[in-house]
Amino acid sequence: MLALAPWAAPVQAAVATVSSRMRRRALLGGLSLTPLAAITAHAQSVLGVAGVPTTSAPTTSAPTTNAPVTNTPVPLAPNPQAAKLDDTVAPPYNRMVIMRWGDPLLPDAPPFNPNPLTEDQASSQFPYDSVVAGLIAPPPAEDGVPRLIMVLANPTAPANMLFQGGMDAPAVAGKLQGATVLNLQYQAGRWVTVQGGYQSRRLADGTLCQISGPAAAAIGSTVQGILAPQGGCTTPWGTALLAEGDAAPWLSRLANVGFGYNDPTQAPKFGWVTEFNPLDPQAIPVKRTALGRFAKSAIAATATPDGRPVIFISQDADAGYFFRFIAASNATDGTALDTGTLAVAQVNGSNIKWLDLPGDSAALIGALNAANIAGGTVFDAPGGIAIAQNGTLYLACRGNPNRSSLDANGLNPRAGDDNGYVLALHAPKGDLTARNFTGEIAIAAGNPAITPGAQYTPGSNAWLTHPRTLNLDSLGQLWIGTDSKGDTSVSADGLFIMQTGGPSKYLLSMAYLAPVGAALGGAAFDAATHTNFAMVRHPGATPTASFSAPATRWPTLLPTMPPQSTIIALVG
């Protein structure tokens, strides 16, 4: 049934008020649409860059008087991308709230009470932090109601933002991370959640998983838990993939919780790609060892014309490798990801060459060492991946301040810079299994008023830093989500739209800015209803914030409510 938390009505009213206020402010000109091409003449005044000193011209009185000479500072214009307590929605979109941390997911979910959180709440409510993996359309029902299944990865559960005084509750935290499957249906002209929907479920620290592929014999065939998935994707064959990140902190944090996490032999069972069927709530997730073990950031899947899966995976590190897996067969029995070739990218100039890695269990368990031996190239914090129909591969690199000028290359050219890039990697004739790709920098991120080497197509009306998630909509536009890890002192994180073709290729515009401390956790699209779903992660979680002192209490802005990560819909 459809259900709302007991306090949902006043919360919805508050959110609607904030949303309408922000839309009114945008329409009244609060959002600057000045093209970046004009910045070369008066960058600071147009962009209002915080922290950039102004130059003041002395204003001198007429020489016939004895009035003193005074200096009148020229004020900075407001920064249109500054982070605020609430969010900013660019025309023509309207923002709707779909689901928030603490909203009921399962039919027996208790009311949300964050002080204190309980294991029961963590297991049955929408969790604290999420990244959109994708949407899957279930088979049509007899009632004709449109329905969607949304899959989300749940990467983190920070004690300082979840628990009073930062006093950790590991048993609760372990159930807040993992993955979420959520039922949506289209009702009264908008998408709504379905509490207790058939497919709705949580996958967390106690979830039973199978282990398959070449390394299963060495590490074991089963394990309890999906730990620290940083991202995920849906596949053309109807499953979902979760990219586990660095499990070591979680194994330590959960050592006294159970599930054998205090056993050192369990560590090799984490750090894999996990596949599961979102449409079957009884399906057991499977960890696919043929895709290599390392801390992952993001994953994207496609298939060759003959049906063989092709998977791209980024390593979650400031200096991270970029991997490709090509399945050996197009098996439809669920084993296609158990055999194939894992390769690492090597940068030559501005081009990519894929170097095959050994397929034995030792090389797969130690995939990073194998990548290093093979001669792979590290990228500047590689993250989100998007695959276009024409065979162009887009890769978000968040930036690496530790890269030296000696290590710079055509796709990572800026030393000591952590603003990041969006790369476009072109497969010859669209063949994503080819050995060599050509590459180029689509966007070199940073405020162009102050960042050397920042690069945007003329006519762009926004700039960004720290690109992290990439998603292509049905029009071929690339939606870029940014993540400054809570430090939004320079600019709010947000969703930006990049054109991928036409006369203004790589033109950038802003669609949405998140509130202070929040990051964007990906997007997904329903073309039929003109709905763009997005995940607003950890609002208020600035570097100095805490459970009792968040930087904002968005989306409700109520003093009695904590900030809540929220699935939103931009409609327009």
Side-chain angles (χ1 to χ4, degrees):
M1 71 175 190
L2 301 175
L4 296 172
W7 33 263
V11 167
Q12 287 181 333
V15 170
T17 301
V18 171
S19 180
S20 63
R21 184 170 70 243
M22 293 313 303
R23 288 197 299 272
R24 182 170 64 251
R25 186 172 352 188
L27 291 173
L28 290 174
L31 174 66
S32 170
L33 298 180
T34 306
L36 291 183
I39 291 171
T40 55
H42 48 285
Q44 294 178 8
S45 62
V46 171
L47 293 176
V49 183
V52 178
T54 61
T55 57
S56 57
T59 302
T60 308
S61 60
T64 55
T65 71
N66 294 320
V69 175
T70 60
N71 291 333
T72 304
V74 179
L76 287 172
N79 179 3
Q81 295 185 192
K84 304 186 294 294
L85 296 179
D86 50 13
D87 56 355
T88 301
V89 183
Y93 300 108
N94 292 317
R95 190 265 284 143
M96 299 179 180
V97 169
I98 301 296
M99 198 170 205
R100 304 155 298 185
W101 168 39
D103 284 349
L105 176 73
L106 303 183
D108 57 350
F112 182 45
N113 179 11
N115 192 16
L117 285 174
T118 65
E119 290 184 56
D120 192 20
Q121 290 186 76
S123 300
S124 58
Q125 297 170 348
F126 189 68
Y128 170 78
D129 185 27
S130 298
V131 174
V132 176
L135 295 170
I136 292 179
E142 293 183 359
D143 59 11
V145 175
R147 291 179 171 85
L148 290 170
I149 308 299
M150 180 179 287
V151 181
L152 305 102
N154 307 123
T156 67
N160 66 308
M161 296 302 298
L162 288 168
F163 307 118
Q164 188 69 252
M167 296 294 294
D168 198 11
V172 176
K175 290 173 175 51
L176 286 170
Q177 64 85 54
T180 300
V181 181
L182 173 65
N183 284 84
L184 300 169
Q185 71 180 38
Y186 198 68
Q187 178 177 299
R190 61 164 293 173
W191 288 99
V192 297
T193 59
V194 183
Q195 182 183 353
Y198 176 68
Q199 287 88 1
S200 294
R201 64 189 290 200
R202 291 292 326 288
L203 289 74
D205 57 352
T207 301
L208 177 65
C209 298
Q210 295 179 339
I211 301 175
S212 71
I219 64 175
S221 60
T222 61
V223 68
Q224 279 187 273
I226 296 171
L227 296 184
Q230 300 302 298
C233 70
T234 53
T235 70
W237 50 95
T239 65
L241 303 178
L242 300 172
E244 285 187 309
D246 183 6
W250 276 105
L251 291 172
S252 175
R253 190 177 183 184
L254 301 175
N256 297 321
V257 170
F259 309 122
Y261 289 146
N262 59 350
D263 181 355
T265 65
Q266 294 297 297
K269 297 182 178 182
F270 300 95
W272 303 100
V273 171
T274 302
E275 184 177 27
F276 74 100
N277 181 0
L279 297 181
D280 181 1
Q282 304 302 316
I284 297 177
V286 182
K287 299 196 178 189
R288 304 292 188 185
T289 63
L291 279 68
R293 178 179 180 266
F294 53 93
K296 298 166 177 64
S297 174
I299 188 168
T302 187
T304 62
D306 63 359
R308 288 176 296 142
V310 181
I311 313 292
F312 294 91
I313 314 169
S314 53
Q315 180 196 354
D316 188 18
D318 283 351
Y321 291 110
F322 188 38
F323 294 87
R324 179 183 70 180
F325 174 81
I326 302 175
S329 75
N330 59 359
T332 58
D333 60 357
T335 63
L337 297 186
D338 287 337
T339 56
T341 302
L342 185 66
V344 66
Q346 181 186 71
V347 177
N348 298 298
S350 295
N351 299 325
I352 291 287
K353 181 178 182 180
W354 294 101
L355 307 175
D356 293 345
L357 304 181
D360 59 276
S361 60
L364 294 170
I365 294 171
L368 297 181
N369 184 55
N372 180 56
I373 293 173
T377 301
V378 292
F379 292 75
D380 290 342
I385 308 162
I387 305 170
Q389 292 183 352
N390 65 359
T392 295
L393 187 69
Y394 296 97
L395 175 65
C397 293
R398 189 184 177 278
N400 177 15
N402 298 315
R403 180 177 288 276
S404 74
S405 58
L406 297 177
D407 297 327
N409 57 58
L411 297 179
N412 302 274
R414 293 188 290 183
D417 184 273
D418 70 345
N419 287 284
Y421 309 90
V422 176
L423 305 179
L425 307 174
H426 307 288
K429 298 181 180 180
D431 180 9
L432 290 167
T433 68
R435 179 69 61 187
N436 298 290
F437 289 17
T438 59
E440 62 179 324
I441 296 174
I443 289 176
N447 182 343
I450 59 175
T451 305
Q455 172 186 315
Y456 300 90
T457 293
S460 296
N461 65 21
W463 55 270
L464 56 81
T465 62
H466 309 131
R468 184 64 172 176
T469 62
L470 300 179
N471 303 94
L472 286 159
D473 65 18
S474 60
L475 300 176
Q477 300 176 123
L478 187 69
W479 290 61
I480 304 169
T482 63
D483 183 355
S484 299
K485 298 184 178 180
D487 184 1
T488 52
S489 56
V490 173
S491 172
D493 279 323
L495 268 176
F496 301 83
I497 302 173
M498 188 187 82
Q499 303 303 313
T500 58
S504 297
K505 189 176 182 181
Y506 305 148
L507 185 77
L508 188 72
S509 59
M510 187 274 283
Y512 176 83
L513 295 177
V516 61
L520 264 293
F525 313 97
D526 180 60
T529 60
H530 306 285
T531 303
N532 309 292
F533 297 98
M535 186 70 220
V536 181
R537 301 177 62 187
H538 54 69
T542 57
T544 60
S546 65
F547 174 83
S548 58
T552 182
R553 294 184 180 275
W554 187 89
T556 67
L557 302 180
L558 297 175
T560 56
M561 289 294 296
Q564 295 165 283
S565 296
T566 300
I567 303 173
I568 63 169
L570 299 176
V571 182

